[in-house]
Amino acid sequence: MSTDEPPASADTVDAPASESEDEIDAEELQALRERVEELETSLAETDAGDDEKKMTIVATQGTFDMAYPPLILASTAAAFGWEVVVFHTFWGLDIVHEEKSKDLKLSAVGNPNMPVPNALAALPGMDTMATKMMQRRIDDNGTATIEELIDLSIESGVDLQACQMTIELMDYDEDDFYDGVTTGVGAATALNHMADSDVQLLV
């Protein structure tokens, strides 16, 4: 009587290899799924970053009334999550100068909203009177002061920048500005941010 084992069928021989292939395929599939999840997360983060708007405001005027528009627009845009830069140059530099910002004047001459003709507006003391009238109206209305708007803007993440060339021209010191103001900024830096901004304003 023969003791030879019957020949193994093709199914019996191939079974271990098939199981090994199944294990490899499962591992590859899991790794592929993880990679897809990583790419989806990365894409979502990129899309979210693209949604952030940027705004650059160039503040060139340092009168009492013209200090408000750039600060109000900047703080409001920051509240919406925008990246905001306000570049202060020439007389606009006085807005973020801690001492001079407290003594900004409203010019009565050439102001069509002033209820006096230019001949009277040019008289000594008229700018001071016009400024006090506006300050009184601001106080009565509960509107924020310039200093409060500067603090709000900085707290909101607005980058208030001081033009380095103007600092040197006006013979100011970098310590003269409010805490949080970025000093030593050149025109090239401002232009680069403008180029990347969705909104550019000259005030």
Side-chain angles (χ1 to χ4, degrees):
M1 183 174 169
S2 173
T3 59
D4 292 340
E5 294 291 335
S9 65
D11 292 340
T12 305
V13 173
D14 291 338
S18 178
E19 289 175 3
S20 176
E21 289 175 2
D22 288 342
E23 287 182 9
I24 293 174
D25 290 344
E27 291 175 0
E28 290 179 349
L29 182 60
Q30 181 60 29
L32 183 60
R33 285 174 178 167
E34 291 175 357
R35 180 59 181 155
V36 169
E37 289 178 2
E38 290 177 3
L39 291 172
E40 288 176 344
T41 301
S42 177
L43 182 61
E45 291 175 352
T46 302
D47 290 341
D50 291 341
D51 290 339
E52 182 183 42
K53 292 187 178 296
K54 296 182 180 181
M55 179 167 69
T56 302
I57 302 174
V58 181
T60 63
Q61 302 185 53
T63 58
F64 181 80
D65 51 329
M66 293 308 295
Y68 275 86
L71 294 174
I72 291 173
L73 290 169
S75 57
T76 302
F80 282 112
W82 291 24
E83 179 184 324
V84 186
V85 165
V86 185
F87 182 68
H88 298 82
T89 185
F90 277 80
W91 305 120
L93 197 62
D94 288 347
I95 298 173
V96 288
H97 190 285
E98 193 163 4
E99 181 181 345
K100 291 187 175 293
S101 67
K102 297 173 183 176
D103 194 35
L104 298 180
K105 295 290 190 295
L106 191 157
S107 178
V109 178
N111 191 334
N113 292 320
M114 291 300 295
V116 293
N118 283 336
L120 292 177
L123 293 175
M126 288 300 294
D127 286 354
T128 299
M129 186 183 75
T131 302
K132 288 183 178 179
M133 289 173 59
M134 180 58 71
Q135 287 175 330
R136 189 178 304 114
R137 178 171 293 186
I138 286 172
D139 291 340
D140 293 342
N141 193 56
T143 303
T145 64
I146 293 173
E147 186 175 0
E148 288 171 341
L149 285 173
I150 289 174
D151 290 339
L152 176 61
S153 297
I154 292 174
E155 290 173 2
S156 302
V158 176
D159 188 5
L160 300 179
Q161 299 180 348
C163 174
Q164 181 61 34
M165 185 196 72
T166 310
I167 291 175
E168 296 171 359
L169 180 65
M170 301 298 185
D171 199 24
Y172 291 160
D173 190 279
E174 292 188 358
D175 295 332
D176 294 338
F177 300 94
Y178 285 95
D179 291 339
V181 172
T182 304
T183 57
V185 181
T189 301
L191 285 171
N192 285 332
H193 196 274
M194 287 181 212
D196 292 336
S197 295
D198 302 284
V199 179
Q200 304 96 1
L201 299 174
L202 175 65
V203 180

